[in-house]
Amino acid sequence: MATLRDIKRKISSINSTQTITRTMKMVSAAKLRKAQDELEKIKAYALKMEELVERVTKMLPANAHPLMTAREEVKKVLILSIASDRGLCGAFNINIGLQAENFTMQNRNQYDRIGVYVFGRKAKDYLARRKVDIFKEWLDIRKVDQGLVEEIASELVQLYVDGEFDKVYLSYTHFRSPVKQIAVFEELLPIQKEGAEGETFEYLYEPDRNAIVETLLPKYLSTKIYYALTESQTSEHAARMSAMENATSNCGEMVRYLTLVYNKRRQESITNEMMDIVGGAEALRGT
């Protein structure tokens, strides 16, 4: 049975942990506000770019560009998984790792190779422990910038065009609100023609259509990756803030419970001492 000193030491330790989790929650909240500002800057542009590509590709033949050309036989698949280098953010990293792991397990007999192009040490460690094929890893990415995104997009385009992989999927966390983030798994390459049915338009191209499409599709791809990375970072801060808030609340509950136990034990010891005194006095009186 724990002594009063042990309980008091445990309460002190939990109070120290609560101070840390409360501080981490405040830091994550500050980072979340900055990340939301960055996300708002790119969101409107990314959505408008997606709308433009959808409208342009709707009028194009399926083989108008190598990035739109689907392979007749898909043998090699690449998953672009975006997670984090740091933990203490609930199930944020686990959800991304699970998506890649589950896809690999369910389709290992269908494809010759399923590789993972992974962002974040936590997801990389998770997949490595489960023997998932990690094609490439990006670790310790502190800030998402255009140069980084262009490098990634160019590499993915080259891998697809050269036939290294026949299909590319994107796995990231969509930021819906500070308390809700959703893991997304969608096809990135080949670029799909959306809205094939319905109203159509004829566009006047200047310069010619091929030159515009040649520039537009890689730009769309890099914008989509940039947006996914920004959403993922924002979701990470939100998930960590929520996790630290829950941890702080749990610490408070544990302190209240242990304080109650401490007071009960202390009262029991006082009562026992009083009973010993009264018993000793009665024994002396009887003699």
Side-chain angles (χ1 to χ4, degrees):
M1 183 180 293
T3 64
L4 290 176
R5 181 179 295 178
D6 292 335
I7 297 174
K8 196 169 184 179
R9 187 182 297 117
K10 186 174 291 187
I11 291 173
S12 177
S13 175
I14 294 173
N15 280 328
S16 299
T17 302
Q18 188 179 40
T19 302
I20 295 171
T21 57
R22 186 182 291 114
T23 303
M24 291 184 67
K25 174 194 169 185
M26 295 171 63
V27 171
S28 295
K31 290 183 176 180
L32 175 60
R33 284 192 293 271
K34 293 181 180 179
Q36 282 184 279
D37 291 340
E38 291 295 323
L39 182 60
E40 286 301 317
K41 292 178 183 178
I42 185 65
K43 184 176 182 179
Y45 178 79
L47 295 179
K48 185 59 68 173
M49 173 67 78
E50 186 169 354
E51 178 186 343
L52 175 62
V53 169
E54 178 180 321
R55 291 165 61 187
V56 171
T57 56
K58 182 178 179 180
M59 305 297 298
L60 298 177
N63 59 349
H65 191 275
L67 297 182
M68 295 177 58
T69 305
R71 307 286 158 76
E72 294 182 1
E73 187 176 5
V74 178
K75 294 183 177 181
K76 293 173 287 186
V77 172
L78 184 66
I79 304 172
L80 175 59
S81 294
I82 302 174
S84 168
D85 291 305
R86 301 169 58 211
L88 299 178
C89 48
F92 173 79
N93 292 306
I94 298 297
N95 289 337
I96 297 300
L98 273 174
Q99 285 188 332
E101 180 189 10
N102 291 339
F103 183 88
T104 302
M105 295 293 293
Q106 294 167 8
N107 298 279
R108 59 172 48 179
N109 296 325
Q110 182 178 351
Y111 303 121
D112 294 344
R113 182 184 183 186
I114 301 176
V116 182
Y117 194 105
V118 64
F119 281 82
R121 192 179 304 278
K122 292 297 180 179
K124 176 252 180 183
D125 293 342
Y126 177 91
L127 295 172
R129 288 194 298 269
R130 287 155 179 80
K131 310 300 182 184
V132 176
D133 180 13
I134 298 176
F135 175 77
K136 186 172 181 177
E137 59 193 54
W138 286 83
L139 308 178
D140 301 321
I141 303 298
R142 300 301 178 188
K143 182 175 177 57
V144 178
D145 55 38
Q146 194 62 39
L148 172 67
V149 173
E150 292 293 343
E151 181 180 351
I152 297 164
S154 297
E155 185 173 9
L156 291 177
V157 167
Q158 199 63 43
L159 289 171
Y160 184 78
V161 172
D162 292 345
E164 291 290 330
F165 290 95
D166 303 314
K167 187 172 286 191
V168 180
Y169 289 96
L170 175 62
S171 173
Y172 69 101
T173 306
H174 167 63
F175 176 80
R176 177 164 291 181
S177 72
V179 295
K180 187 172 185 180
Q181 303 85 42
I182 303 172
V184 177
F185 191 89
E186 61 186 20
E187 187 173 320
L188 184 63
L189 287 173
I191 296 173
Q192 300 293 313
K193 290 180 61 175
E194 300 291 344
E197 302 296 330
E199 190 175 8
T200 59
F201 299 90
E202 287 291 342
Y203 292 98
L204 296 176
Y205 294 94
E206 179 63 37
D208 63 274
R209 185 183 70 179
N210 292 337
I212 291 177
V213 172
E214 190 71 30
T215 303
L216 180 62
L217 294 188
K219 185 65 177 178
Y220 161 74
L221 191 65
S222 63
T223 301
K224 192 171 184 66
I225 294 172
Y226 196 117
Y227 186 48
L229 286 167
T230 307
E231 276 213 290
S232 183
Q233 285 194 341
T234 307
S235 298
E236 176 193 350
H237 297 314
R240 185 170 292 110
M241 184 184 72
S242 297
M244 292 301 100
E245 183 177 5
N246 292 335
T248 302
S249 177
N250 291 338
C251 285
E253 291 292 335
M254 291 180 68
V255 167
R256 283 191 287 273
Y257 170 74
L258 289 174
T259 300
L260 181 62
V261 173
Y262 177 83
N263 290 335
K264 285 183 177 180
R265 295 278 177 84
R266 183 168 174 271
Q267 189 62 47
E268 286 177 2
S269 65
I270 292 174
T271 302
N272 291 334
E273 289 177 2
M274 291 181 64
M275 293 294 292
D276 290 341
I277 293 172
V278 171
E282 290 293 332
L284 291 175
R285 186 180 300 172
T287 59

